Amino acid sequence: MFVCMTAAVELAGENEIKAIIGMEKWQEVALVAQIGSQYQLPILSLATAPATLPLAPQRWPSLVQMAGNYSHQITSIADIVKYYNWRKVIAVYEDDGYAGTSVMLDLLAQALQENGAEIEYHLAFPPVASMNDPTKIVLEELTKVFSMQSRMFIVLQSSLPLAVHLFREAQNSGLIGRDTAWKITDSISSLLDSVNSTVISSMEGVLGIKTHYSETSREFKFFYYQFWKEFRTAYPEEWNSQPGIHALQAFDVITAITIAIEHLGAETRSSTKLLETILLSKFDGLSSKISFQGGELQCNPVFRVINVVGKGYKVLDFWSAENHFFERLGVETGRRVVTWPGDTNEVPKGWTLPTNATPLRIGVPGKASFEKSVRVDKDNNSNRTEYSGYSIDVFLEVVRIIEENYALPYEFVAFYGTYDELVNCVYNKTFDAVVGDVTILANRSKHVDFTQPYAKSGLSMIVPYKSKESQKARLFTKPFNMQLWLATGGVLLYTTFSVWFMELNVNPNFGGTWKNQLSPSLRFIFSSVFFAHKERILSNYTHIVVVVWLFVMFILTQSDTANLTSMLTVPLLKPKIEDIGWLKANDKQVGCDGESFVKVYWTDVLGFEAKNNRNVSSQYYYPDLLNNGTIAAAFLELPFEKVFLDEYCRTFIHTNFTLRFGGLCFVFPKGSPLVADVSKATLKLSENGVLQQLEGKWFSPPLDCALSNTNTDVESLSIQVFWVLYLFSVATSLTCFLLFFIRLLKSYRAQESKIGNGGSLGEKLVKLWKYFDEGETRNDNEATPISDELDGLGPPHWDISSSSASEITEHPQGSLSFEVQTSPTPHA
């Protein structure tokens, strides 16, 4: 550093020096820029700034930054971490003792936090030049990592000599292998083209970002040819002559100065004019588009996402600040298959249990309200504690799946306190996790992470039930709802009218006075419900209507019988209290588990007074408290409501009041990598039916309660069930009615054409009615029986004669014969 400062002072003091170019480290840039400001000499830096420095123009007015800053690189690294869902990382860097490193670490921590990750450990190394034995020091620092969980390394800043030692020792110690991931920034990846194969092989599987530049432009091809020719002449032993980003940036610096000198002409002697002209430069350089604002290169860099493989690297994707990843990383096609450390294509977890780790301390509720969930039994003689219950069994199955991949040592520790206090013990690192019937709540999720729920959770109200036996008196009306009863009555009346209309003048059973006409019609239709009708019908149209009606009645009677039978065979139970509004209005006491969140939820959310909340510490206390009226209702979490009703199914019942929450789950610290594996194992248990088997083991009801706990409510049938059937019946009756009426009109008009059709409209309607009602119309002593006009309406034949009495005789063939005597009546 002293050498750099001395050289800068010497150069600035020479009159012929118009600008200083170079500096690969930011601390060197800061010193030289200060000297340049004193001498008003342009300083063109090739070092990457740690971040955007808003006060740089005031502090170093002569500084021109040609390499941008680290902010975009850090953002791209954080995006890669987010893409692979890594939660904790280890930041590796060469600490130069200047503030630039701390600025970069702050940017990295912020970017990771925005993506749900964090820095678990800072692995800092002193500058290589200050190390007496770099290999030993690097190995000692790497050994400290074995006590950490994270195996996701981000090499934020490093010189090439340190990187060589770092990756060699990391490979030898097993830190570059399965379940590990390494990321490098442009400070190392830009030099990969100039290192030998031994260094590359130690970095197998590393991901990195590398500044992208166009290799297809005419200017680049011309520069590449010139560079290759000069490089091969100067270094014939080097096999790689590819120009790197530093060479391109240096060429762009020379180009900017050349353009400025050509523009100034005779004014080149003024360093101030030269600086101003350089800052106004705008051209397409080889490294990027060149333009400046506030002394800093203004461009949105594009980075290549590279994967070190074999003796080189391959490009997986591209990243920019506007679009982030251009495509999807790690797609299993072509060149974009990622090769990870350990020569595998499987995405590493990025973490592992520390080799010297003590077993996980897992907190367990020491006194749960329902023992089928968690039960803690302590043997004072042997000083051993046994843990059992549904939640414990689920966790043991989860561990069994996880240990197929890696060991997970743990130990249970009973905790006697509230559930919120137990969750806080994970936040303050008293426990590494919590296993038990813990409900996911929003306020808890601020401090801890929850796994995938292994059971549903909610809040249900349990009350004693009362019988509804008094409602059996009108139970016969319940199979159908009111709409269906009204629809049935409407269709019945319409069918009655249709039968009466079509049978009136062809069937003597439907003749006579209005009373005599309607009575048989109604009696016929009603009796058809029970298939007990005796009246014969004669019209073919009526036959069709009645057949459809009988079909409808058959379906209705069977449905009514089945539904009524179901209603008579189920218990008629009803909750004594159906809503919480009644509890509020009558100032009733309720019971709940005071150790869970229910007590606070009851007062803070549902708005009940704390004095009406009774703490019930065990499931065995609820029955007596409910039966003697001490509490009017009990509020239980799911699935414990099911456990309670399984045991007291004949005494208590749940109401319709139910609240749903996030579910029962396990608790881990924020950012714990175990959350993903435990959640994945829980889903696997759900998919293969193990969770259902465990629920059956712990929560299956007794046989006598299995039926009573099922939903026994039988709903009344509605019009939606039979509307098609009713529509068919009405449509059939209407069709037959219209056909009959059309034929009647034709017969009437035929008669009118014989006797004349004079008269007003009213007279014509009266004649039509008489024709229909009496069976004939009279005109000039001529009569036309309706039966003759409507021939074919029924199989019977009507015989009309003048006798002293009217009688009906049945012929052997089954036909009917009427003999009607009428006294002579003079014609009007």
Side-chain angles (χ1 to χ4, degrees):
M1 197 70 62
F2 177 77
V3 174
C4 177
M5 183 177 64
T6 303
V9 172
E10 291 178 356
L11 289 173
E14 297 183 12
N15 293 330
E16 298 300 324
I17 300 298
K18 302 301 179 184
I20 297 178
I21 304 172
M23 291 79 67
E24 297 181 356
K25 297 180 179 180
W26 183 250
Q27 59 269 31
E28 296 176 349
V29 173
L31 292 174
V32 176
Q34 189 69 34
I35 296 172
S37 299
Q38 294 175 4
Y39 286 89
Q40 296 183 347
L41 189 67
I43 306 297
L44 286 82
S45 165
L46 296 177
T48 304
T52 300
L53 305 174
L55 298 179
Q58 290 78 26
R59 186 175 179 182
W60 305 302
S62 299
L63 178 63
V64 180
Q65 301 178 51
M66 293 293 299
N69 58 70
Y70 268 99
S71 59
H72 291 302
Q73 295 189 47
I74 290 173
T75 303
S76 64
I77 289 290
D79 280 353
I80 295 176
V81 172
K82 178 183 178 181
Y83 184 87
Y84 291 110
N85 200 29
W86 291 311
R87 303 296 296 274
K88 292 186 177 183
V89 306
I90 295 176
V92 185
Y93 54 93
E94 187 172 1
D95 191 358
D96 54 19
Y98 287 82
T101 303
S102 62
V103 172
M104 295 168 58
L105 289 172
D106 290 341
L107 288 176
L108 178 61
Q110 182 179 354
L112 292 173
Q113 187 177 11
E114 292 174 355
N115 292 330
E118 63 178 348
I119 300 176
E120 183 185 21
Y121 182 68
H122 292 79
L123 185 59
F125 296 96
V128 174
S130 65
M131 298 183 189
N132 296 326
D133 189 350
T135 301
K136 179 180 178 182
I137 294 176
V138 169
L139 184 59
E140 288 177 352
E141 293 297 323
L142 287 175
T143 304
K144 299 177 182 178
V145 173
F146 287 101
S147 62
M148 307 296 164
Q149 280 190 339
S150 177
R151 290 297 182 268
M152 202 273 116
F153 300 88
I154 297 177
V155 184
L156 190 60
Q157 176 180 269
S158 172
S159 61
L160 183 58
L162 176 61
V164 171
H165 287 288
L166 174 66
F167 284 103
R168 184 178 62 237
E169 298 306 320
Q171 185 184 48
N172 294 337
S173 59
L175 289 176
I176 298 181
R178 295 184 66 88
D179 296 330
T180 67
W182 289 76
K183 305 291 172 290
I184 56 176
T185 58
D186 195 52
S187 63
I188 298 176
S189 58
S190 61
L191 302 175
L192 291 178
D193 295 320
S194 59
V195 297
N196 58 42
S197 58
T198 304
V199 176
I200 290 289
S201 63
S202 66
M203 301 173 65
E204 179 85 18
V206 171
L207 291 186
I209 56 171
K210 191 173 186 291
T211 302
H212 172 69
Y213 49 86
S214 174
E215 298 179 359
T216 59
S217 66
R218 183 174 59 86
E219 292 80 5
F220 178 83
K221 292 179 179 179
F222 177 77
F223 172 79
Y224 177 81
Y225 174 74
Q226 297 293 330
F227 181 88
W228 177 82
K229 185 169 61 172
E230 294 291 337
F231 189 86
R232 295 297 296 174
T233 302
Y235 306 99
E237 72 280 0
E238 292 290 339
W239 61 273
N240 191 344
S241 58
Q242 177 76 22
I245 186 63
H246 298 296
L248 301 182
Q249 289 174 343
F251 182 83
D252 289 340
V253 170
I254 300 301
T255 303
I257 295 176
T258 302
I259 294 174
I261 292 174
E262 291 176 353
H263 178 76
L264 289 174
E267 299 181 10
T268 307
R269 292 181 175 275
S270 173
S271 298
T272 304
K273 288 287 185 180
L274 180 61
L275 175 63
E276 292 175 354
T277 307
I278 292 174
L279 292 176
L280 293 175
S281 299
K282 286 187 179 181
F283 63 92
D284 291 335
L286 298 182
S287 62
S288 66
K289 293 190 179 209
I290 305 299
S291 64
F292 301 95
Q293 183 176 358
E296 183 179 6
L297 183 67
Q298 290 300 300
C299 68
N300 292 319
V302 176
F303 295 108
R304 302 172 184 174
V305 181
I306 64 170
N307 181 204
V308 179
V309 180
K311 296 182 179 181
Y313 60 86
K314 60 183 178 182
V315 179
L316 302 175
D317 200 354
F318 296 89
W319 183 97
S320 70
E322 294 83 4
N323 302 316
H324 293 263
F325 297 116
F326 283 33
E327 300 179 23
R328 290 184 58 214
L329 282 176
V331 175
E332 301 297 324
T333 56
R335 61 173 185 155
R336 295 173 58 228
V337 178
V338 181
T339 300
W340 298 99
D343 194 22
T344 177
N345 298 127
E346 183 179 351
V347 178
K349 300 197 306 291
W351 69 275
T352 187
L353 288 177
T355 55
N356 57 349
T358 58
L360 295 175
R361 283 174 51 84
I362 298 179
V364 176
K367 192 176 182 181
S369 295
F370 286 83
E371 296 177 350
K372 288 189 176 182
S373 176
V374 177
R375 180 170 178 172
V376 179
D377 295 316
K378 188 172 183 179
D379 188 346
N380 294 326
N381 295 328
S382 60
N383 199 25
R384 293 183 58 187
T385 304
E386 297 291 335
Y387 299 88
S388 60
Y390 173 64
S391 299
I392 301 298
D393 280 2
V394 171
F395 181 74
L396 295 179
E397 290 293 331
V398 167
V399 172
R400 180 182 60 80
I401 293 176
I402 289 177
E403 289 189 339
E404 293 176 0
N405 300 313
Y406 57 88
L408 184 65
Y410 65 90
E411 61 178 3
F412 290 135
V413 180
F415 178 82
Y416 297 90
T418 67
Y419 279 74
D420 285 338
E421 292 172 348
L422 179 58
V423 171
N424 286 334
C425 285
V426 176
Y427 175 65
N428 61 31
K429 302 187 184 305
T430 302
F431 293 132
D432 299 310
V434 168
V435 169
D437 49 343
V438 180
T439 301
I440 299 176
L441 297 176
N443 62 331
R444 293 174 177 174
S445 64
K446 297 176 183 178
H447 308 294
V448 295
D449 278 346
F450 295 105
T451 64
Q452 178 75 19
Y454 60 85
K456 295 179 180 179
S457 68
L459 196 60
S460 181
M461 185 168 76
I462 307 297
V463 297
Y465 68 75
K466 61 180 179 180
S467 175
K468 297 190 290 185
E469 294 293 328
S470 60
Q471 299 182 10
K472 278 192 174 182
R474 52 188 177 87
L475 192 62
F476 72 94
T477 65
K478 295 297 183 181
F480 298 160
N481 64 10
M482 181 58 68
Q483 289 181 341
L484 186 55
W485 281 118
L486 293 175
T488 304
V491 175
L492 185 145
L493 293 176
Y494 178 73
T495 305
T496 300
F497 170 76
S498 300
V499 171
W500 166 77
F501 187 85
M502 292 183 289
E503 292 290 319
L504 177 62
N505 279 307
V506 297
N507 194 333
N509 292 328
F510 293 85
T513 64
W514 281 101
K515 179 179 179 181
N516 293 334
Q517 291 177 21
L518 294 177
S519 295
S521 299
L522 290 171
R523 183 174 64 250
F524 176 82
I525 296 300
F526 272 108
S527 60
S528 66
V529 176
F530 310 101
F531 306 98
H533 49 284
K534 297 181 179 180
E535 292 81 357
R536 296 188 62 185
I537 54 176
L538 305 179
S539 172
N540 287 335
Y541 295 120
T542 310
H543 277 100
I544 296 174
V545 171
V546 171
V547 167
V548 174
W549 172 250
L550 290 177
F551 175 72
V552 172
M553 284 298 100
F554 176 77
I555 300 297
L556 286 177
T557 53
Q558 295 300 314
S559 301
D560 179 88
T561 302
N563 214 28
L564 183 60
T565 302
S566 300
M567 291 181 175
L568 289 172
T569 54
V570 300
L572 298 176
L573 306 179
K574 181 181 180 181
K576 284 186 176 181
I577 303 169
E578 296 190 6
D579 60 76
I580 63 173
W582 185 90
L583 295 172
K584 286 184 179 181
N586 292 273
D587 202 31
K588 294 294 185 179
Q589 279 204 339
V590 298
C592 65
D593 181 10
E595 304 298 331
S596 71
F597 74 95
V598 179
K599 183 175 182 180
V600 177
Y601 187 87
W602 181 252
T603 55
D604 293 351
V605 179
L606 298 182
F608 283 81
E609 296 184 12
K611 66 176 183 178
N612 292 329
N613 194 331
R614 187 182 182 93
N615 183 16
V616 183
S617 59
S618 174
Q619 67 186 82
Y620 304 110
Y621 297 153
Y622 284 107
D624 291 338
L625 294 174
L626 287 168
N627 287 328
N628 61 28
T630 304
I631 58 175
F635 284 83
L636 304 180
E637 291 185 71
L638 301 177
F640 310 130
E641 171 231 32
K642 184 177 182 297
V643 176
F644 183 79
L645 292 180
D646 285 347
E647 190 169 353
Y648 303 101
C649 59
R650 301 185 179 278
T651 310
F652 306 105
I653 190 173
H654 66 81
T655 67
N656 292 329
F657 174 81
T658 302
L659 297 174
R660 295 291 181 182
F661 298 104
L664 302 184
C665 63
F666 306 126
V667 183
F668 287 89
K670 274 284 187 183
S672 173
L674 281 171
V675 173
D677 286 352
V678 173
S679 296
K680 189 183 299 182
T682 303
L683 288 174
K684 188 174 182 179
L685 293 177
S686 177
E687 292 169 0
N688 60 25
V690 174
L691 286 182
Q692 187 176 2
Q693 294 175 8
L694 294 178
E695 287 181 8
K697 171 185 175 182
W698 289 100
F699 301 141
S700 59
L703 184 60
D704 58 341
C705 284
L707 295 177
S708 64
N709 281 344
T710 58
N711 186 9
T712 57
D713 293 335
V714 181
E715 296 183 356
S716 300
L717 298 176
S718 64
I719 187 64
Q720 283 76 16
V721 179
F722 300 105
W723 71 270
V724 174
L725 192 64
Y726 279 13
L727 180 64
F728 177 66
S729 175
V730 172
T732 302
S733 299
L734 181 61
T735 302
C736 293
F737 177 83
L738 292 176
L739 291 174
F740 178 87
F741 189 72
I742 291 171
R743 193 166 184 177
L744 176 67
L745 287 177
K746 288 182 178 180
S747 300
Y748 172 73
R749 288 178 178 176
Q751 176 179 321
E752 284 293 299
S753 64
K754 296 178 182 180
I755 63 177
N757 54 358
S760 64
L761 178 62
E763 292 175 346
K764 291 181 179 180
L765 292 176
V766 171
K767 289 180 181 181
L768 177 62
W769 173 253
K770 285 183 178 181
Y771 182 81
F772 169 71
D773 186 43
E774 299 178 3
E776 62 179 64
T777 59
R778 302 175 184 276
N779 190 359
D780 298 332
N781 299 322
E782 294 183 7
T784 302
I786 191 174
S787 59
D788 292 342
E789 300 295 339
L790 302 178
D791 186 33
L793 293 180
H797 177 72
W798 295 76
D799 293 328
I800 304 177
S801 62
S802 299
S803 303
S804 59
S806 298
E807 63 180 11
I808 302 174
T809 60
E810 185 174 354
H811 296 286
Q813 291 83 0
S815 63
L816 292 177
S817 177
F818 280 88
E819 295 182 0
V820 182
Q821 177 181 352
T822 58
S823 59
T825 303
H827 295 290

